[in-house]
Amino acid sequence: MFVILQIGERKKDVLSRLKERFSPEEPGLSKIAVRNGAPFFILRVRRRKDGVPWAEVKSAAGKGAARMLYTSDDRPPESMKLRAFEPDRLPFWGIWNSAAGLLKNSGVNPPELRLGIVDCEGELCGELSRAVMLASVVRVVTRKTRLYEAAAEKMMERYGASVLVGSDEAFVENCNFVVRKEGLAIGGHGSSCAVTGSGFELPAEYAGLRPENVDETLFACALYECCGVRALGKQPFENLFWNGTKESQPEIRSKIINILQKGNITP
């Protein structure tokens, strides 16, 4: 679960000011049901004369105090220990799904591709069957070596595909397409380019739950990481960037082909 904090402005009429002084409005917590996942909460609070009543926010948020989505620039004092939610897992899946889609539709032949995956925590271990269909060589850097080595044995048994597993990032230096949490590194003949992404297109059943002032990417990540909505793990990024510049998927695919097949870097 997580908590979305919505802060209302202070009422200015005399009656409301008197009520605030003698019987201040308490924060209101609403539970929002989520299909195929745990619920989240919306916490509504009204600003007062001395600002946001952070102590009351913390009390009302409960366990959600460690996973807050803020809808304004207001932030609590450090002593309150109210923590903004920071995505950790879904962006990596967005990168991987985008990478797999780009490669599948690029027309690049597997013999031309040496695929590296830097996956310290073993997030993508179950995706090896997808990876071996895309490349002639798959190398994985991870701290979960036993987990990946067991999966690699299955790839050899099922497909006759070799997956090599190491624990040092130098292990993927000779790969010309590397997937990391930070993005994709695509290289040829000593040069390289980076592809990153942002945004997830939420299915209608989840898009309708998002308050309009909540960042869509953060909301999607919170649903996946805090509420267990696993369906979102299949989503690629909605927007892709080539060395920091937003470009369409066809444009990026064209550049990938140019690099992998010709070894050239296009500006």
Side-chain angles (χ1 to χ4, degrees):
M1 55 89 78
F2 61 94
V3 173
I4 297 174
L5 179 62
Q6 294 190 320
I7 301 172
E9 291 305 314
R10 189 178 178 221
K11 293 181 179 180
K12 298 181 179 180
D13 61 278
V14 175
L15 185 60
S16 295
R17 294 291 176 87
L18 287 172
K19 184 177 179 181
E20 176 189 309
R21 181 177 180 181
F22 296 105
S23 181
E25 181 181 341
E26 295 183 359
L29 192 67
S30 302
K31 182 178 180 180
I32 308 299
V34 176
R35 184 179 179 184
N36 297 321
F40 68 91
F41 295 84
I42 295 178
L43 179 57
R44 296 178 177 87
V45 63
R46 190 171 298 281
R47 199 183 305 276
R48 297 177 187 168
K49 183 178 181 180
D50 55 352
V52 179
W54 291 113
E56 294 180 28
V57 168
K58 180 183 178 182
S59 177
K63 293 181 179 179
R67 295 182 294 273
M68 303 286 294
L69 269 64
Y70 296 99
T71 58
S72 70
D73 293 331
D74 296 277
R75 290 295 182 274
E78 186 66 26
S79 60
M80 284 290 101
K81 296 184 178 179
L82 286 161
R83 299 288 178 257
F85 168 73
E86 296 183 2
D88 179 54
R89 297 169 59 199
L90 188 59
F92 193 20
W93 281 96
I95 282 291
W96 166 245
N97 290 324
S98 298
L102 286 168
L103 290 174
K104 182 179 179 181
N105 298 318
S106 69
V108 173
N109 295 321
E112 298 168 344
L113 184 64
R114 302 183 302 278
L115 175 60
I117 300 174
V118 181
D119 180 16
C120 294
E121 300 304 322
E123 287 280 330
L124 303 182
C125 191
E127 294 289 297
L128 279 188
S129 58
R130 197 175 175 191
V132 298
M133 297 299 172
L134 299 170
S136 60
V137 174
V138 177
R139 287 175 169 255
V140 179
V141 172
T142 184
R143 286 198 290 262
K144 307 291 185 179
T145 52
R146 290 186 180 180
L147 182 68
Y148 260 110
E149 284 169 352
E153 287 183 13
K154 292 181 181 179
M155 295 303 100
M156 177 58 74
E157 292 171 2
R158 293 178 184 174
Y159 308 110
S162 176
V163 177
L164 306 176
V165 182
S167 57
D168 192 296
E169 286 213 25
F171 193 63
V172 296
E173 281 184 355
N174 292 326
C175 295
N176 54 7
F177 195 102
V178 179
V179 180
R180 293 184 174 89
K181 272 192 173 184
E182 300 78 14
L184 314 177
I186 305 158
H189 296 285
S191 300
S192 65
C193 281
V195 175
T196 55
S198 71
F200 293 96
E201 184 178 354
L202 286 168
E205 60 193 305
Y206 301 115
L209 299 177
R210 181 180 68 89
E212 62 178 296
N213 53 351
V214 174
D215 180 86
E216 188 173 25
T217 299
L218 275 179
F219 184 68
C221 291
L223 285 178
Y224 180 80
E225 298 180 25
C226 302
C227 297
V229 181
R230 292 291 171 256
L232 297 178
K234 303 295 183 182
Q235 297 279 69
F237 275 125
E238 192 171 11
N239 307 305
L240 293 177
F241 302 84
W242 182 271
N243 283 342
T245 301
K246 183 178 177 181
E247 299 201 19
S248 68
Q249 288 204 18
E251 289 172 326
I252 290 178
R253 281 198 300 267
S254 177
K255 292 183 177 184
I256 290 173
I257 293 170
N258 189 57
I259 292 172
L260 298 182
Q261 293 184 339
K262 301 177 183 178
N264 297 322
I265 300 292
T266 55

